[in-house]
Amino acid sequence: ASKMVYQLPQLILRGNEPGPSKYVPFRLYNHGGEAMLHYSQSAGISGRDYTIRLNADGSFTEAAYHSIVNTFGDKAFSFSAAADYGANNLKMKVGNGEYRDVGDPAYVFGWSWQGGRAGTTPVDAVELVGDELYILGYEWNNGDALNGLYRVNINTNATTRVTPRHVLYFQRDGDYLYYASGEGARSYEGHDSVYRYSLQDGREELVLRPAMVPAAIKNIAVLNGHVYWQSSDTTALYDAKGAALNPGGICESMVVVGDKEKYLACTFEETPDSRYRLMVFDRGGGLVFKTSDVAYPGSIVIEGRELYYYNIVTKTVCHHALP
């Protein structure tokens, strides 16, 4: 028998207006053998982030409030996602120890800042490589500072910008960090290319500059070197060759999932021209599943080659074997 263990709140936007979907977007994940739930309420500096531990007895514990936590082995990193955020917001702890400050105290870490604009959003993009933490950041008291990708030494607190480019999001794929940017870009409207930074030799290289970008690259996802991107004007989903993968569809999420083999799951809004609401791509770039079923991104799970997701309309868990 099923049992409700946590009720997601309704999505509320600025001005206390109801959001386009009934509930907040969420993410379920395994953290050291524990079931965790993370969700954001509203957007920008007025928003709040919550991390909830779902206990085996059906109860829950609020693990973090106004913070985003990432764990790598016995090391946990937390940065403030509160409305009253400020510089020196990055913390770390080892095992059951206490959190301590890490990184240059003059910087705000973990946020995307639109080059002097009022709008800014916490971004859950953090990678630990040896003793170096890669994370977004910008200089708090420098009005001309550009949001960028930084490397923080967790032992010395040395903070180094790894690329001069304006970066609002990055994703690790193998030994590379991928991100969208552009020459002289100060906001995402100037992001017309995809770059990657090597974790082996520190070199940056251009990966993709679509000739048919109508406005800008809004978001990217990478799996095994295959780059997928959204245009900023239509939010349609394209591959590296510029082919629309779901013509007429508005992509709402791109999530890498899978416990052994990794897959890219993409969900789409309901529009008259969209044929699919969920598409799954494998490491070779092939489309291995597509459906008009409606599913929350956080409910999509792949174990081995078995795909599971919660169908919002029928209120059932669906299962499909992937090729």
Side-chain angles (χ1 to χ4, degrees), residues 219-297:
N219 196 13
I220 66 168
V222 187
L223 180 62
N224 195 32
H226 296 278
V227 179
Y228 304 82
W229 58 276
Q230 291 175 271
S231 65
S232 63
D233 59 347
T234 65
T235 64
L237 179 65
Y238 297 90
D239 64 13
K241 297 180 180 179
L245 299 175
N246 185 21
I250 297 177
C251 184
E252 62 181 2
S253 73
M254 298 183 287
V255 184
V256 175
V257 294
D259 60 343
K260 297 177 182 177
E261 287 292 320
K262 297 298 182 182
Y263 296 84
L264 180 69
C266 303
T267 62
F268 299 83
E269 295 180 11
E270 182 176 2
T271 57
D273 298 328
S274 179
R275 297 183 60 186
Y276 309 112
R277 298 294 301 275
L278 170 61
M279 302 176 74
V280 179
F281 300 89
D282 64 12
R283 287 175 52 83
L287 177 62
V288 294
F289 181 79
K290 56 189 178 183
T291 181
S292 60
D293 291 349
V294 185
Y296 286 124

Side-chain angles (χ1 to χ4, degrees), residues 128-165:
L128 180 66
V129 181
D131 292 331
E132 308 282 0
L133 186 75
Y134 292 86
I135 189 170
L136 295 178
Y138 65 93
E139 195 173 357
W140 176 247
N141 286 322
N142 183 353
D144 295 324
L146 289 179
N147 207 86
L149 174 57
Y150 285 84
R151 181 178 64 242
V152 177
N153 186 291
I154 62 174
N155 297 318
T156 66
N157 291 332
T159 301
T160 306
R161 188 171 186 129
V162 303
T163 172
R165 302 187 188 280

Side-chain angles (χ1 to χ4, degrees), residues 85 111-121 137-140 142-148 161 164-168 184-191:
Y85 71 97
W111 286 74
S112 66
W113 178 255
Q114 290 278 4
R117 293 187 171 194
T120 184
T121 307
Y138 65 93
E139 195 173 357
W140 176 247
N142 183 353
D144 295 324
L146 289 179
N147 207 86
R161 188 171 186 129
R165 302 187 188 280
H166 180 258
V167 180
L168 295 174
R186 297 190 65 86
S187 70
Y188 82 86
E189 286 96 337
H191 292 184

Side-chain angles (χ1 to χ4, degrees), residues 185-200:
R186 297 190 65 86
S187 70
Y188 82 86
E189 286 96 337
H191 292 184
D192 61 0
S193 306
V194 177
Y195 300 86
R196 69 180 186 182
Y197 171 85
S198 172
L199 295 171
Q200 295 296 318

